[in-house]
Amino acid sequence: MINNPLNPLREQIDLVDQQLIQLLAKRLSLVAEVGQVKHQHGLPIYAPEREALMIQARRQEAESQGVPADLIEDVLRRVMRESYTSENRHGFKATNPEIQKIVVVGGRGKLGGLFAGYFRQSGYGVVSLDQDDWENADTILAGADAVIVCVPIDKTLKIIDRLQPFLTEKMVLADLTSVKAEPLAKMLEVHSGAVVGLHPMFGPDISTMAKQVVACCHGRFAERYEWLLAQIKIWGAKVEQIDAKEHDHAMTYIQALRHFSTFAYGLHLSQQPVKLSQLLALSSPIYRLELAMIGRLFAQDAALYADIIADKPENLAVIKSLKQSFAESLAFFEQGDREGFISAFEKVHHWFGDYSEQFLKESRNLLQQAHDLRV
Ligand code: NAD
């Protein structure tokens, strides 16, 4: 509209936005220089203290200028995520330049491919041993310094067995399987050299390894695989040491129970007389987020989830007890026991303790972001 009275203000806003773009370009180019320095000196791309101090300082400065502190924190966190991704472009310093050859078994798969890429970006020679390569296994594994197993869970133990004739004492044998006790025991059985079990607590679609967690279960000769953990830290991830059985116990809840209930919810919804498009059109931000979390499971690998859920009897026992909790919860309503529901609700509230408030705050941010994406 030619005579729109908002035009002059809009023009100024456009101008400010353009300046913001120029400032962001400048910031990204400074970050690129930081990336280069970190690469030269082998510094981790994620520096938690620097990040916390910087956010705190900018919040104070923003407030003193009448800009909401949460706004600047949101903007900066998004900008920093971009920065971590672009810091990768320079590659990473190798923590052990003596390592000549890393073999990733399953290196053409999703997670194996991701790790093979990170190793290459760190200057290591990487070779993949995938399912059609076994006739050349001799050549592929000859002289390897580290062998990293990253194959479907149901094949992992057999493949570790199959590796045995090719392993030599100096090799580090590691795996990236989502379950840890059995693969670790199998690696220790077939190999007399260094062994370590790793579980990246993320999928292959991450944009950066900064702030991600890798669970680490010690096997044998930690001093020989120290460089591998140091390398993962340089990529920005946090290495969390844990006993393999404890890890698997935690995964009953973090993975098996969660994947199962998400699957059951999706299955149930798909059998209901509802249209997804209509639910989405009417959804609140939290429902949209919930649907997104459920829907994303079904965009992934069914076999991986089947194996994670079926990993051990404990998983099924806990899942069965979920059925029990479901029946108990339903009974409050079937029996019109409003008071019973409220009292159970209070107990759970108490169990969550301070986390309840913290989660309310954290989820508010997520919901706001989900809402921002709405068109
Ligand atoms: P994927 O199916 O993408 O990759 C598996 C790879 O193994 C494929 O390239 C396949 O060809 C190869 N393979 C199959 N049989 C083989 C054989 N006999 N010899 C050599 N290679 C063989 O699966 P993925 O998602 O990358 O998962 C692999 C491992 O990573 C699993 O142990 C899984 O638990 C673990 N993991 C996956 C994720 C994830 O989100 N995808 C996250 C953490 C851990």
Side-chain angles (χ1 to χ4, degrees), residues 171-202:
M171 294 178 185
V172 171
L173 180 61
D175 79 314
L176 302 177
T177 321
S178 304
V179 297
K180 292 273 55 88
E182 285 189 326
L184 184 65
K186 182 52 89 180
M187 290 194 294
L188 286 166
E189 180 194 318
V190 304
H191 186 44
S192 56
V195 168
V196 61
L198 301 169
H199 178 197
M201 297 304 305
F202 48 83

mmCIF file of all heavy atoms in Angstrom, residues 171-202:
data_model
loop_
_atom_site.group_PDB
_atom_site.id
_atom_site.type_symbol
_atom_site.label_atom_id
_atom_site.label_comp_id
_atom_site.label_asym_id
_atom_site.label_seq_id
_atom_site.Cartn_x
_atom_site.Cartn_y
_atom_site.Cartn_z
ATOM 1 N N MET A 171 45.948 -52.987 18.822
ATOM 2 C CA MET A 171 44.723 -52.298 18.389
ATOM 3 C C MET A 171 43.836 -51.933 19.575
ATOM 4 O O MET A 171 43.720 -52.690 20.533
ATOM 5 C CB MET A 171 43.898 -53.195 17.453
ATOM 6 C CG MET A 171 44.566 -53.483 16.126
ATOM 7 S SD MET A 171 43.502 -54.591 15.154
ATOM 8 C CE MET A 171 44.558 -54.907 13.736
ATOM 9 N N VAL A 172 43.178 -50.767 19.442
ATOM 10 C CA VAL A 172 42.128 -50.418 20.410
ATOM 11 C C VAL A 172 40.824 -50.923 19.795
ATOM 12 O O VAL A 172 40.528 -50.626 18.640
ATOM 13 C CB VAL A 172 42.049 -48.885 20.594
ATOM 14 C CG1 VAL A 172 40.818 -48.510 21.414
ATOM 15 C CG2 VAL A 172 43.318 -48.351 21.245
ATOM 16 N N LEU A 173 40.067 -51.692 20.570
ATOM 17 C CA LEU A 173 38.773 -52.164 20.076
ATOM 18 C C LEU A 173 37.674 -51.422 20.830
ATOM 19 O O LEU A 173 37.637 -51.428 22.070
ATOM 20 C CB LEU A 173 38.654 -53.684 20.286
ATOM 21 C CG LEU A 173 37.348 -54.330 19.807
ATOM 22 C CD1 LEU A 173 37.133 -54.145 18.300
ATOM 23 C CD2 LEU A 173 37.324 -55.835 20.144
ATOM 24 N N ALA A 174 36.798 -50.752 20.070
ATOM 25 C CA ALA A 174 35.720 -49.970 20.691
ATOM 26 C C ALA A 174 34.420 -50.245 19.956
ATOM 27 O O ALA A 174 34.424 -50.781 18.846
ATOM 28 C CB ALA A 174 36.065 -48.487 20.616
ATOM 29 N N ASP A 175 33.302 -49.895 20.568
ATOM 30 C CA ASP A 175 32.016 -49.999 19.859
ATOM 31 C C ASP A 175 31.155 -48.788 20.214
ATOM 32 O O ASP A 175 31.429 -48.083 21.186
ATOM 33 C CB ASP A 175 31.283 -51.295 20.223
ATOM 34 C CG ASP A 175 30.587 -51.194 21.562
ATOM 35 O OD1 ASP A 175 31.219 -50.701 22.513
ATOM 36 O OD2 ASP A 175 29.409 -51.562 21.664
ATOM 37 N N LEU A 176 30.131 -48.554 19.377
ATOM 38 C CA LEU A 176 29.245 -47.400 19.597
ATOM 39 C C LEU A 176 27.803 -47.865 19.814
ATOM 40 O O LEU A 176 26.854 -47.114 19.624
ATOM 41 C CB LEU A 176 29.295 -46.462 18.377
ATOM 42 C CG LEU A 176 30.656 -45.891 17.975
ATOM 43 C CD1 LEU A 176 30.536 -45.051 16.702
ATOM 44 C CD2 LEU A 176 31.231 -45.018 19.100
ATOM 45 N N THR A 177 27.649 -49.123 20.217
ATOM 46 C CA THR A 177 26.305 -49.708 20.336
ATOM 47 C C THR A 177 25.501 -49.033 21.456
ATOM 48 O O THR A 177 26.046 -48.642 22.480
ATOM 49 C CB THR A 177 26.450 -51.223 20.645
ATOM 50 O OG1 THR A 177 27.537 -51.732 19.874
ATOM 51 C CG2 THR A 177 25.185 -51.971 20.309
ATOM 52 N N SER A 178 24.174 -48.985 21.250
ATOM 53 C CA SER A 178 23.288 -48.341 22.236
ATOM 54 C C SER A 178 23.133 -49.150 23.519
ATOM 55 O O SER A 178 22.604 -48.645 24.504
ATOM 56 C CB SER A 178 21.899 -48.130 21.631
ATOM 57 O OG SER A 178 21.983 -47.396 20.447
ATOM 58 N N VAL A 179 23.514 -50.422 23.485
ATOM 59 C CA VAL A 179 23.510 -51.221 24.714
ATOM 60 C C VAL A 179 24.975 -51.561 25.000
ATOM 61 O O VAL A 179 25.781 -51.630 24.072
ATOM 62 C CB VAL A 179 22.663 -52.505 24.550
ATOM 63 C CG1 VAL A 179 21.214 -52.142 24.280
ATOM 64 C CG2 VAL A 179 23.195 -53.381 23.441
ATOM 65 N N LYS A 180 25.317 -51.762 26.259
ATOM 66 C CA LYS A 180 26.752 -51.827 26.541
ATOM 67 C C LYS A 180 27.255 -53.122 27.170
ATOM 68 O O LYS A 180 28.341 -53.574 26.828
ATOM 69 C CB LYS A 180 27.162 -50.646 27.444
ATOM 70 C CG LYS A 180 27.067 -49.309 26.757
ATOM 71 C CD LYS A 180 28.293 -48.863 25.958
ATOM 72 C CE LYS A 180 28.860 -49.689 24.904
ATOM 73 N NZ LYS A 180 28.283 -49.486 23.574
ATOM 74 N N ALA A 181 26.508 -53.737 28.101
ATOM 75 C CA ALA A 181 27.086 -54.851 28.865
ATOM 76 C C ALA A 181 27.543 -56.004 27.952
ATOM 77 O O ALA A 181 28.698 -56.433 28.029
ATOM 78 C CB ALA A 181 26.092 -55.340 29.907
ATOM 79 N N GLU A 182 26.659 -56.472 27.085
ATOM 80 C CA GLU A 182 27.024 -57.646 26.258
ATOM 81 C C GLU A 182 28.122 -57.336 25.237
ATOM 82 O O GLU A 182 29.096 -58.094 25.145
ATOM 83 C CB GLU A 182 25.780 -58.213 25.572
ATOM 84 C CG GLU A 182 24.909 -58.975 26.553
ATOM 85 C CD GLU A 182 23.789 -59.735 25.871
ATOM 86 O OE1 GLU A 182 23.255 -59.264 24.847
ATOM 87 O OE2 GLU A 182 23.455 -60.819 26.366
ATOM 88 N N PRO A 183 28.004 -56.240 24.481
ATOM 89 C CA PRO A 183 29.092 -55.961 23.529
ATOM 90 C C PRO A 183 30.444 -55.779 24.224
ATOM 91 O O PRO A 183 31.468 -56.263 23.730
ATOM 92 C CB PRO A 183 28.657 -54.653 22.858
ATOM 93 C CG PRO A 183 27.177 -54.620 22.999
ATOM 94 C CD PRO A 183 26.877 -55.301 24.295
ATOM 95 N N LEU A 184 30.443 -55.125 25.409
ATOM 96 C CA LEU A 184 31.711 -54.914 26.110
ATOM 97 C C LEU A 184 32.306 -56.261 26.544
ATOM 98 O O LEU A 184 33.506 -56.519 26.346
ATOM 99 C CB LEU A 184 31.494 -53.995 27.332
ATOM 100 C CG LEU A 184 32.759 -53.613 28.092
ATOM 101 C CD1 LEU A 184 33.686 -52.768 27.231
ATOM 102 C CD2 LEU A 184 32.423 -52.843 29.386
ATOM 103 N N ALA A 185 31.448 -57.124 27.107
ATOM 104 C CA ALA A 185 31.934 -58.439 27.548
ATOM 105 C C ALA A 185 32.487 -59.219 26.347
ATOM 106 O O ALA A 185 33.539 -59.859 26.431
ATOM 107 C CB ALA A 185 30.798 -59.216 28.211
ATOM 108 N N LYS A 186 31.792 -59.115 25.213
ATOM 109 C CA LYS A 186 32.234 -59.840 24.017
ATOM 110 C C LYS A 186 33.575 -59.296 23.515
ATOM 111 O O LYS A 186 34.477 -60.058 23.153
ATOM 112 C CB LYS A 186 31.138 -59.726 22.940
ATOM 113 C CG LYS A 186 31.378 -60.431 21.660
ATOM 114 C CD LYS A 186 31.745 -61.895 21.767
ATOM 115 C CE LYS A 186 30.591 -62.843 21.773
ATOM 116 N NZ LYS A 186 31.023 -64.257 21.888
ATOM 117 N N MET A 187 33.734 -57.968 23.548
ATOM 118 C CA MET A 187 35.001 -57.383 23.078
ATOM 119 C C MET A 187 36.154 -57.832 23.977
ATOM 120 O O MET A 187 37.248 -58.137 23.490
ATOM 121 C CB MET A 187 34.903 -55.845 23.037
ATOM 122 C CG MET A 187 33.982 -55.325 21.947
ATOM 123 S SD MET A 187 34.161 -53.552 21.637
ATOM 124 C CE MET A 187 33.581 -52.840 23.156
ATOM 125 N N LEU A 188 35.883 -57.861 25.303
ATOM 126 C CA LEU A 188 36.935 -58.287 26.243
ATOM 127 C C LEU A 188 37.286 -59.758 26.023
ATOM 128 O O LEU A 188 38.429 -60.171 26.212
ATOM 129 C CB LEU A 188 36.472 -58.057 27.688
ATOM 130 C CG LEU A 188 36.473 -56.591 28.133
ATOM 131 C CD1 LEU A 188 35.696 -56.410 29.436
ATOM 132 C CD2 LEU A 188 37.902 -56.066 28.290
ATOM 133 N N GLU A 189 36.294 -60.530 25.601
ATOM 134 C CA GLU A 189 36.521 -61.970 25.384
ATOM 135 C C GLU A 189 37.384 -62.209 24.137
ATOM 136 O O GLU A 189 38.293 -63.029 24.161
ATOM 137 C CB GLU A 189 35.145 -62.631 25.221
ATOM 138 C CG GLU A 189 35.160 -64.127 24.988
ATOM 139 C CD GLU A 189 33.782 -64.599 24.492
ATOM 140 O OE1 GLU A 189 32.739 -64.139 25.009
ATOM 141 O OE2 GLU A 189 33.776 -65.422 23.548
ATOM 142 N N VAL A 190 37.110 -61.461 23.056
ATOM 143 C CA VAL A 190 37.812 -61.777 21.804
ATOM 144 C C VAL A 190 39.146 -61.048 21.652
ATOM 145 O O VAL A 190 39.956 -61.395 20.803
ATOM 146 C CB VAL A 190 36.957 -61.472 20.544
ATOM 147 C CG1 VAL A 190 35.627 -62.193 20.601
ATOM 148 C CG2 VAL A 190 36.746 -59.981 20.342
ATOM 149 N N HIS A 191 39.350 -59.997 22.481
ATOM 150 C CA HIS A 191 40.541 -59.163 22.276
ATOM 151 C C HIS A 191 41.344 -59.026 23.569
ATOM 152 O O HIS A 191 40.760 -58.774 24.624
ATOM 153 C CB HIS A 191 40.075 -57.780 21.800
ATOM 154 C CG HIS A 191 41.190 -56.860 21.408
ATOM 155 N ND1 HIS A 191 42.253 -57.263 20.641
ATOM 156 C CD2 HIS A 191 41.400 -55.533 21.683
ATOM 157 C CE1 HIS A 191 43.072 -56.228 20.455
ATOM 158 N NE2 HIS A 191 42.574 -55.179 21.087
ATOM 159 N N SER A 192 42.675 -59.163 23.451
ATOM 160 C CA SER A 192 43.486 -59.063 24.670
ATOM 161 C C SER A 192 44.081 -57.660 24.825
ATOM 162 O O SER A 192 44.684 -57.345 25.837
ATOM 163 C CB SER A 192 44.597 -60.112 24.638
ATOM 164 O OG SER A 192 45.341 -59.928 23.444
ATOM 165 N N GLY A 193 43.908 -56.811 23.821
ATOM 166 C CA GLY A 193 44.430 -55.444 23.906
ATOM 167 C C GLY A 193 43.425 -54.503 24.554
ATOM 168 O O GLY A 193 42.531 -54.919 25.295
ATOM 169 N N ALA A 194 43.561 -53.185 24.235
ATOM 170 C CA ALA A 194 42.705 -52.177 24.854
ATOM 171 C C ALA A 194 41.272 -52.273 24.334
ATOM 172 O O ALA A 194 41.038 -52.486 23.143
ATOM 173 C CB ALA A 194 43.269 -50.788 24.566
ATOM 174 N N VAL A 195 40.331 -52.111 25.269
ATOM 175 C CA VAL A 195 38.911 -52.210 24.917
ATOM 176 C C VAL A 195 38.139 -51.091 25.607
ATOM 177 O O VAL A 195 38.369 -50.808 26.790
ATOM 178 C CB VAL A 195 38.335 -53.589 25.379
ATOM 179 C CG1 VAL A 195 36.815 -53.601 25.281
ATOM 180 C CG2 VAL A 195 38.920 -54.732 24.550
ATOM 181 N N VAL A 196 37.216 -50.473 24.869
ATOM 182 C CA VAL A 196 36.339 -49.476 25.500
ATOM 183 C C VAL A 196 34.971 -49.488 24.810
ATOM 184 O O VAL A 196 34.878 -49.611 23.585
ATOM 185 C CB VAL A 196 36.974 -48.051 25.469
ATOM 186 C CG1 VAL A 196 37.234 -47.537 24.058
ATOM 187 C CG2 VAL A 196 36.104 -47.059 26.232
ATOM 188 N N GLY A 197 33.917 -49.398 25.619
ATOM 189 C CA GLY A 197 32.555 -49.357 25.077
ATOM 190 C C GLY A 197 32.052 -47.916 25.125
ATOM 191 O O GLY A 197 32.146 -47.262 26.163
ATOM 192 N N LEU A 198 31.534 -47.444 24.008
ATOM 193 C CA LEU A 198 31.032 -46.064 23.959
ATOM 194 C C LEU A 198 29.581 -46.070 23.497
ATOM 195 O O LEU A 198 29.187 -46.901 22.677
ATOM 196 C CB LEU A 198 31.873 -45.237 22.972
ATOM 197 C CG LEU A 198 33.370 -45.145 23.259
ATOM 198 C CD1 LEU A 198 34.104 -44.526 22.072
ATOM 199 C CD2 LEU A 198 33.629 -44.330 24.526
ATOM 200 N N HIS A 199 28.810 -45.145 24.021
ATOM 201 C CA HIS A 199 27.437 -44.984 23.520
ATOM 202 C C HIS A 199 27.151 -43.498 23.324
ATOM 203 O O HIS A 199 26.961 -42.772 24.293
ATOM 204 C CB HIS A 199 26.423 -45.587 24.514
ATOM 205 C CG HIS A 199 25.004 -45.395 24.065
ATOM 206 N ND1 HIS A 199 23.932 -45.533 24.913
ATOM 207 C CD2 HIS A 199 24.472 -45.071 22.844
ATOM 208 C CE1 HIS A 199 22.815 -45.304 24.240
ATOM 209 N NE2 HIS A 199 23.117 -45.011 22.999
ATOM 210 N N PRO A 200 27.154 -43.056 22.061
ATOM 211 C CA PRO A 200 26.811 -41.660 21.804
ATOM 212 C C PRO A 200 25.323 -41.461 22.122
ATOM 213 O O PRO A 200 24.483 -42.157 21.563
ATOM 214 C CB PRO A 200 27.072 -41.495 20.299
ATOM 215 C CG PRO A 200 27.848 -42.718 19.890
ATOM 216 C CD PRO A 200 27.451 -43.802 20.827
ATOM 217 N N MET A 201 25.031 -40.518 23.017
ATOM 218 C CA MET A 201 23.638 -40.307 23.406
ATOM 219 C C MET A 201 22.970 -39.327 22.437
ATOM 220 O O MET A 201 22.351 -38.344 22.859
ATOM 221 C CB MET A 201 23.567 -39.783 24.855
ATOM 222 C CG MET A 201 24.105 -40.737 25.896
ATOM 223 S SD MET A 201 23.300 -42.359 25.844
ATOM 224 C CE MET A 201 21.599 -41.914 26.015
ATOM 225 N N PHE A 202 23.130 -39.602 21.153
ATOM 226 C CA PHE A 202 22.512 -38.750 20.135
ATOM 227 C C PHE A 202 22.435 -39.542 18.837
ATOM 228 O O PHE A 202 23.103 -40.564 18.679
ATOM 229 C CB PHE A 202 23.321 -37.461 19.913
ATOM 230 C CG PHE A 202 24.803 -37.678 19.741
ATOM 231 C CD1 PHE A 202 25.337 -38.021 18.503
ATOM 232 C CD2 PHE A 202 25.657 -37.565 20.812
ATOM 233 C CE1 PHE A 202 26.695 -38.225 18.337
ATOM 234 C CE2 PHE A 202 27.023 -37.783 20.672
ATOM 235 C CZ PHE A 202 27.553 -38.114 19.428
#
